[in-house]
Amino acid sequence: MSIAEAFPDTQKYWPSWDTREKLNCISTRKAPDSLCGLIRKLFTLHGDEDMPYYRQKEILQACRKWNLVWVGPGQAAPLEPHEIELLLGFDKDHTRGCASMTERYDALGNSFQINTVAYHLSTLKPLYPHGITVLSLFSGIGGGEVSLHKLGIYLKVVIAVEINEKVRGVLKSWWRKSCQAGELKLKNDVRDLTHEVLTDLIDEVGPIDLIIGGSPCNNLSGNNRVSRTGLNGSESSLFFEFPRILNIVTQIMRDKGFL
DNA sequence: CGTAATCAGATGGTCGCG
DNA sequence: CGCGACCATCTGATTACG
């Protein structure tokens, strides 16, 4: 989706020399208001067409870095949470009411893009006409769950594992808002999913059809200047929980004759 | 070798509350 | 006054690519 398609009403405010057609990656951080104030000040000094070339370049660089959009004459602004929600394919106010602004930016910056994930999961629809049982690791605000729901796949059981309480609240709230008839089971920590716990879960809900999740990128992200320590970093090493749990679930499913 | 992009932490501040 | 929630601001290096 292009910027013009996503923000048709703001096109009249875009300087002719801002040639961006697509935004950059949605980040967990918001541009400082001081930066937007500086840009506004430059426009009151020069105006749109008379902006010196080097200033144009500076402003454009800031716009790219912080994903700013033009919301008024000479007025660049960060995306608001509800705009990010729509860009990511969620319903408006998906994260509203459960978390502070900072927490919403954080959770949204870490989320899946719904349409993209739904594209990859679309092959599941004919395979599970009567619903699906999902083990969702690092669920966050429920990108995987929402994708399946938007595909029209009935969520029979969702076991969602998410360590942040506020973010769990977002998922819980969505489950109610979207009138899910299935069962939502929330867990806090992927590290708690031992062989015993997973056996009990499968005894309770039956075979698991899908394991989905995106592990933390904190120690991988280029934006991290402090602890970019790689896949063995304190958060990103949780990646290895995914194959560990996958192996255990596969073993249990074999033992029970589900595979 | 320049341009560009990047699922982020640490710090210090305000503010409300007990 | 301590505490926690919240917020604004500061902090480059590693990649990819042409």
Side-chain angles (χ1 to χ4, degrees), chain A residues 89-90 94 114 141-151 155 174:
Chain A
F90 291 98
H94 179 79
I114 298 302
I141 57 177
E145 290 85 339
V146 175
S147 299
L148 290 164
H149 178 62
K150 295 234 166 173
L151 284 169
L155 296 168
W174 171 77

Side-chain angles (χ1 to χ4, degrees), chain A residues 13-257:
Chain A
Y13 300 126
W14 284 62
S16 54
W17 39 268
D18 186 347
T19 52
R20 288 177 298 161
E21 292 184 1
K22 293 181 178 178
L23 294 174
N24 282 329
C25 180
I26 302 291
S27 170
T28 60
R29 293 289 184 272
K30 190 169 77 80
D33 293 335
S34 54
L35 175 65
C36 302
L38 189 64
I39 293 174
R40 208 161 48 239
K41 206 165 156 190
L42 287 173
F43 268 83
T44 55
L45 282 176
H46 300 286
D48 185 347
E49 300 301 331
D50 295 332
M51 188 69 67
Y53 179 66
Y54 76 101
R55 289 291 189 199
Q56 290 180 13
K57 233 177 145 183
E58 280 176 9
I59 295 171
L60 194 47
Q61 199 170 4
C63 287
R64 288 182 195 276
K65 175 172 180 177
W66 293 103
N67 256 341
L68 302 181
V69 292
W70 298 96
V71 298
Q75 206 172 344
L79 294 168
E80 295 191 352
H82 73 268
E83 293 171 324
I84 299 178
E85 287 164 348
L86 295 181
L87 287 174
L88 291 179
F90 291 98
D91 289 337
K92 185 169 175 258
D93 293 337
H94 179 79
T95 59
R96 190 173 182 179
C98 302
S100 73
M101 287 297 249
T102 310
E103 288 164 331
R104 290 176 73 189
Y105 277 110
D106 240 315
L108 287 164
N110 290 331
S111 174
F112 289 148
Q113 208 284 337
I114 298 302
N115 310 71
T116 307
V117 176
Y119 172 78
H120 290 290
L121 297 180
S122 57
T123 53
L124 296 176
K125 188 167 167 65
L127 297 179
Y128 298 98
H130 303 300
I132 193 169
T133 297
V134 185
L135 174 56
S136 168
L137 306 178
F138 315 103
S139 301
I141 57 177
E145 290 85 339
V146 175
S147 299
L148 290 164
H149 178 62
K150 295 234 166 173
L151 284 169
I153 301 174
Y154 170 54
L155 296 168
K156 205 158 49 178
V157 180
V158 171
I159 305 161
V161 191
E162 168 56 48
I163 202 159
N164 184 300
E165 187 190 347
K166 301 278 188 64
V167 176
R168 279 202 304 276
V170 172
L171 185 59
K172 234 187 300 184
S173 158
W174 171 77
W175 195 265
R176 282 196 301 269
K177 275 193 283 191
S178 58
C179 303
Q180 298 290 330
E183 185 185 0
L184 174 65
K185 298 174 83 68
L186 288 167
K187 299 280 174 190
N188 291 5
D189 197 331
V190 290
R191 289 166 289 195
D192 293 340
L193 297 186
T194 59
H195 193 284
E196 289 71 28
V197 170
L198 286 165
T199 303
D200 290 346
L201 273 172
I202 294 175
D203 279 338
E204 200 181 329
V205 306
I208 288 172
D209 303 313
L210 173 69
I211 305 181
I212 187 171
S215 58
C217 74
N218 306 31
N219 311 119
L220 307 172
S221 165
N223 273 334
N224 188 343
R225 294 124 187 243
V226 179
S227 56
R228 187 168 41 202
T229 46
L231 205 49
N232 289 317
S234 51
E235 285 87 18
S236 292
S237 59
L238 288 171
F239 164 79
F240 297 107
E241 291 295 306
F242 196 102
R244 181 185 71 81
I245 290 168
L246 178 61
N247 284 334
I248 293 176
V249 169
T250 306
Q251 189 58 52
I252 297 172
M253 298 270 283
R254 284 213 182 96
D255 292 345
K256 293 185 177 300

